[in-house]
Amino acid sequence: MRRGAGLPALCLVLVASLLTACSGGDGDDPVRLRVLAGPDLAVLAPLLGELRDETGVDLRMEHRADAETRNPDRGRYDLAWLSSDSYLRLTDKNATRGLQRTPTMTSPVVIGLKPEVARQLRARVPGARLTWADIADAAATGRVRFGMADPRHAGSGLAALVGVATAAAGTGAALRPEDVSCDRLRGFRSGQTLTADTGPALVDTYADHQGEADALITYESDLLDLNASGRLDDRLEVVRPEDGMVLADFPLLLLNPAHRTAYDKVTQWLRRDSVQRQIMRHTLRRPVNTTVTRDARLREPVGNALFYPDRPAVVETLLADYGDPRRRTTSQVVFLLDFSGSMRGARMRALREAFAGLSGADPSASGKFTRFHRGERLTVVRFGGRVLGEKTVTVTGPKDLDALADTVARGGYGDATAVWSALDHGYRTAARARAADPGRSVSLVLMTDGENNAGLTYAEFVRRHDALPAAVRAAVPTYPVHFGEADARALRRAAARTDGRMVEAARSSLSEAFKEIRGCH
């Protein structure tokens, strides 16, 4: 009797065990996983109930604006679901070493342009294929005003910053420290008029302030969704830059290895073809499964995928240079130009061509990233044995650049070369600029083709430099351009003293030398 009575009880225990195993939790309760999520993942909320019903795993999402720029608390979260984990992997390799990650969908960072602005920009470009350089050029001249999420907080903003900087470097490879030793994005940044701490907040800001920007730089999915929302006066034309894009793959990360089984269930479900199609419909992001037919709006090739930097110092420099996008930055460059008699003829033509290139005549990608930009304060000092002329403008349009070109085009050559007197004059100009605006970034560019033979000696210049306010000595570098018969050793010494560096024009051209030091630290 006792043996027969025990069999039904044993069968009930076995059935209960099997049901528990199949449900993935204790009894009928689902496995609940705490998920640190980026704000961009909130759009997936409608799918989470279906995921729970079919896998027995309940994802409890906590959306944080700083999710992609902070080290996730493993004591608080079981998973992290981000638009990109590139910044996390770069800044804390120990925390991410061996971390299980599964891409769930993709979207490139692209540009949305108002139709008329897109038409005007395409008309200026051979083949009508726009690049990041074209956008930077248009931003520098005021033809494009754009919105972009704050790269210090938002994955889309940081990806956009990396993309533009990579295009500016022109190497086609991951950015290196030497690629960001000079800030090539000042002209680009001058065009930013809208920002927000997250991608979704940026979209809302643009929708509410459409008259304040002509363009929006964010994920392709955000632009397509905004175009379909009915919130826009003009639907944005999606531009996928010819020189490449950074791609987000929205990885799901396993932070707590104890939940590996539940994690596998979730990722397998997310990567089913049927679910990938749902994700594509809900989010307008590209499926990671190549077997899924894309929505017609997502069939344009991504093209050249840009590499994310592999050194923390590179991203730190980019973020420091870009600063707070809500705050307008001011900068001034003082050009000290040798107009001694030896500069007559071909050398002066080369100098004028260099200035024309910086004023917008250089159609190359590097020329577009290094050109003079709106809001920049420029001073040109012509010198021989003394100061022969001086002109300062704040760039608001072509007339200001024409005024500078006129200053460079004038004759009036000197019969001597007072290099150190000119540099001293430049530092007195810088001191006045810093006193009027302590937040202003000021640098000096000294171009000469001869040795000092008039005015101050180098030792006298040093004494005067030592007497300057500490804020000027420490923050105003000199970038000498070695040209012709100039004393390279003396120029290199002056550069080292002022935390600048000398550029050798003889190896390339004056135009390339000036471009090389644009925006240098």
Side-chain angles (χ1 to χ4, degrees):
M1 287 290 295
R2 284 193 297 271
R3 290 180 61 191
L7 284 173
L10 177 60
C11 289
L12 288 173
V13 170
L14 290 172
V15 169
S17 299
L18 287 170
L19 289 173
T20 299
C22 291
S23 69
D26 296 324
D28 293 327
D29 293 331
V31 175
R32 292 183 176 87
L33 301 183
R34 299 158 298 174
V35 185
L36 171 66
D40 301 281
L41 276 300
V43 70
L44 288 176
L47 296 179
L48 298 184
E50 187 176 341
L51 183 150
R52 181 185 61 244
D53 293 342
E54 295 192 18
T55 67
V57 182
D58 183 13
L59 299 185
R60 298 297 177 93
M61 309 279 278
E62 183 178 333
H63 299 282
R64 294 184 59 100
D66 61 352
E68 290 164 0
T69 56
R70 69 195 296 261
N71 191 358
D73 182 353
R74 295 191 184 215
R76 182 174 180 177
Y77 302 108
D78 303 304
L79 309 177
W81 202 351
L82 314 172
S83 63
S84 171
D85 61 342
S86 295
Y87 184 77
L88 176 63
R89 287 188 286 118
L90 182 65
T91 56
D92 197 343
K93 293 182 179 179
N94 289 331
T96 57
R97 186 173 288 113
L99 199 66
Q100 182 76 17
R101 73 183 302 275
T102 303
T104 59
M105 49 196 155
T106 65
S107 194
V109 171
V110 298
I111 306 159
L113 288 172
K114 288 182 176 178
E116 179 57 22
V117 175
R119 186 192 65 77
Q120 293 175 7
L121 294 186
R122 290 188 189 282
R124 303 169 66 97
V125 177
R129 301 287 294 182
L130 294 174
T131 65
W132 286 114
D134 296 320
I135 301 302
D137 183 63
T141 58
R143 298 195 308 277
V144 163
R145 301 164 304 153
F146 66 88
M148 187 178 88
D150 189 333
R152 300 171 302 171
H153 307 299
S156 63
L158 183 55
L161 183 60
V162 168
V164 181
T166 303
T171 64
L175 288 167
R176 305 160 299 177
E178 57 265 36
D179 296 326
V180 294
S181 62
C182 298
D183 183 0
R184 295 283 186 261
L185 305 187
R186 294 184 182 182
F188 170 79
R189 188 190 189 284
S190 69
Q192 184 166 5
T193 55
L194 294 177
T195 193
D197 284 339
T198 69
L202 174 70
V203 169
D204 291 338
T205 299
Y206 177 80
D208 293 339
H209 300 88
Q210 294 175 51
E212 297 179 25
D214 315 298
L216 195 58
I217 300 175
T218 187
Y219 292 125
E220 173 189 65
S221 54
D222 292 339
L223 295 177
L224 295 175
D225 183 64
L226 184 58
N227 276 343
S229 69
R231 301 169 67 189
L232 298 181
D233 299 328
D234 292 302
R235 287 160 60 94
L236 297 171
E237 181 177 327
V238 178
V239 173
R240 299 167 181 87
E242 188 76 1
D243 40 359
M245 292 160 276
V246 174
L247 192 68
D249 63 359
F250 297 88
L252 186 63
L253 309 176
L254 176 61
L255 303 179
N256 184 350
H259 291 294
R260 174 63 183 268
T261 299
Y263 171 84
D264 287 343
K265 288 181 180 180
V266 171
T267 55
Q268 288 166 14
W269 186 85
L270 289 171
R271 291 175 68 99
R272 288 181 192 169
D273 282 4
S274 59
V275 176
Q276 288 278 291
R277 281 190 286 271
Q278 287 190 70
I279 290 174
M280 181 170 59
R281 285 195 297 270
H282 278 290
T283 72
L284 289 172
R285 292 168 189 154
R286 297 171 180 239
V288 291
N289 292 3
T290 58
T291 53
V292 175
T293 302
R294 293 180 190 168
D295 182 289
R297 292 167 290 181
L298 300 173
R299 291 175 189 167
E300 185 77 19
V302 171
N304 180 31
L306 298 177
F307 296 97
Y308 202 85
D310 56 6
R311 304 185 196 184
V314 170
V315 174
E316 290 166 6
T317 299
L318 285 177
L319 291 174
D321 283 346
Y322 204 78
D324 184 351
R326 292 175 178 83
R327 181 174 176 270
R328 294 291 90 189
T329 59
T330 55
S331 63
Q332 180 169 352
V333 183
V334 180
F335 291 92
L336 306 165
L337 306 178
D338 185 346
F339 267 65
S340 59
S342 59
M343 282 293 296
R344 294 178 188 272
R347 291 180 177 180
M348 185 52 60
R349 285 194 297 274
L351 176 60
R352 290 168 181 162
E353 287 172 4
F355 261 77
L358 294 177
S359 298
D362 184 347
S364 68
S366 61
K368 291 175 179 178
F369 276 113
T370 55
R371 64 165 299 152
F372 297 138
H373 58 82
R374 285 172 64 91
E376 186 174 21
R377 190 173 175 86
L378 302 168
T379 298
V380 169
V381 177
R382 297 164 46 248
F383 73 90
R386 58 182 177 80
V387 171
L388 301 172
E390 182 172 341
K391 180 71 174 179
T392 296
V393 302
T394 298
V395 179
T396 60
K399 61 180 176 56
D400 302 306
L401 298 179
D402 290 344
L404 280 188
D406 182 61
T407 299
V408 177
R410 289 177 188 171
Y413 295 93
D415 57 1
T417 307
V419 174
W420 309 122
S421 292
L423 189 55
D424 176 65
H425 179 89
Y427 270 99
R428 284 186 278 122
T429 300
R432 290 192 297 272
R434 293 276 297 181
D437 181 1
R440 184 184 299 277
S441 167
V442 184
S443 61
L444 307 182
V445 176
L446 171 64
M447 191 287 299
T448 180
D449 73 336
E451 297 184 9
N452 186 72
N453 57 19
L456 299 178
T457 65
Y458 179 74
E460 289 170 327
F461 161 73
V462 168
R463 284 196 293 272
R464 294 191 178 206
H465 186 264
D466 286 341
L468 291 169
V472 177
R473 294 197 314 273
V476 180
T478 294
Y479 297 96
V481 177
H482 178 239
F483 190 48
E485 294 75 46
D487 185 342
R489 182 173 175 274
L491 295 179
R492 195 173 288 111
R493 183 169 52 173
R497 177 176 185 80
T498 60
D499 290 327
R501 65 182 173 87
M502 190 189 80
V503 177
E504 181 61 75
R507 296 174 185 169
S508 53
S509 68
L510 273 181
S511 291
E512 291 302 315
F514 279 129
K515 287 197 293 185
E516 183 179 339
I517 55 176
R518 283 287 286 155
C520 282
H521 307 293

